[in-house]
Amino acid sequence: MSNPEQLFADFEAKLADAQRKANQMRTEIEGVSVSERSKDGQISVKVNHAGNLVGLEIGPSVRDNPALAQEILRVVQSAQSKLASAMQTGVPSIAGTETMSELVNQLHNEYPEPEPTGYVEGGHQDVDEDDRFVAEAELDTPPPSPAPKPPAPPAPPRAARKQQADHEDDYFTGGDFLR
């Protein structure tokens, strides 16, 4: 049996090592950031490890643009979507562990790739009737006329209907019910 003092000392050493590793991981995570520029290079953003905007630069040529706010948001979303891969390269202390996998999955779920420029949710936007796509065949041919209804099936002769009605419920009186 081991000495209780030695067990307690071993436990404290393991706890101190775990605390040191946690502090190292926290420092590495807090050091992760992503910078992103707009396509025209006039908007530059920086997001920290938590996806918060910590830097914003706007070029003079886009300051009067009415869509400036939307473009800034798109660039921020693009930067946030790159946090998962930045975390994988910027936090080597937990690389390849279950903790890293969980962190990356959480970041992918929290910050998905932004929609492509020009994307409209729901698949439609306000479009003039003149601008819509129309197949050439639709332009050249008149609308089809409704198809004629098929003729109704002929009714059985009157005598056959009367005979059928007489024996319909006569299953047990000797009538032929398999007809």
Side-chain angles (χ1 to χ4, degrees):
M1 186 167 182
S2 296
N3 180 0
E5 297 292 325
Q6 183 61 39
L7 287 174
F8 190 67
D10 289 345
F11 178 73
E12 283 183 338
K14 287 180 183 178
L15 186 61
D17 186 49
Q19 185 65 40
R20 183 189 55 75
K21 287 179 181 178
N23 288 337
Q24 178 185 358
M25 182 177 67
R26 182 179 300 119
T27 302
E28 291 171 353
I29 288 174
E30 289 173 351
V32 172
S33 65
V34 175
S35 296
E36 182 75 11
R37 285 186 141 341
S38 62
K39 289 180 182 177
D40 62 5
Q42 292 294 307
I43 300 170
S44 176
V45 301
K46 183 176 183 178
V47 295
N48 66 7
H49 67 282
N52 298 322
L53 181 64
V54 294
L56 173 63
E57 294 177 16
I58 302 171
S61 65
V62 294
R63 288 188 180 151
D64 294 331
N65 185 349
L68 178 61
Q70 288 82 14
E71 183 62 16
I72 291 170
L73 291 175
R74 192 198 64 73
V75 176
V76 169
Q77 287 176 331
S78 179
Q80 289 171 332
S81 72
K82 295 176 181 175
L83 274 173
S85 65
M87 199 65 71
Q88 286 178 314
T89 58
V91 186
S93 66
I94 60 171
T97 65
E98 187 176 328
T99 304
M100 177 58 83
S101 296
E102 183 60 34
L103 181 61
V104 168
N105 286 337
Q106 185 178 5
L107 287 170
H108 277 298
N109 291 337
E110 187 72 27
Y111 303 114
E113 288 285 323
E115 299 299 339
T117 305
Y119 172 80
V120 177
E121 191 168 335
H124 60 82
Q125 55 187 353
D126 295 332
V127 177
D128 291 340
E129 255 327 281
D130 297 335
D131 292 340
R132 72 179 183 89
F133 173 78
V134 180
E136 288 181 25
E138 186 179 325
L139 294 174
D140 296 339
T141 58
S145 58
K149 294 183 180 180
R158 287 185 168 251
R161 276 189 290 180
K162 173 126 175 72
Q163 184 181 14
Q164 183 181 3
D166 290 343
H167 295 290
E168 241 174 32
D169 294 320
D170 194 17
Y171 296 127
F172 304 103
T173 59
D176 184 12
F177 62 89
L178 294 177
R179 251 193 294 176

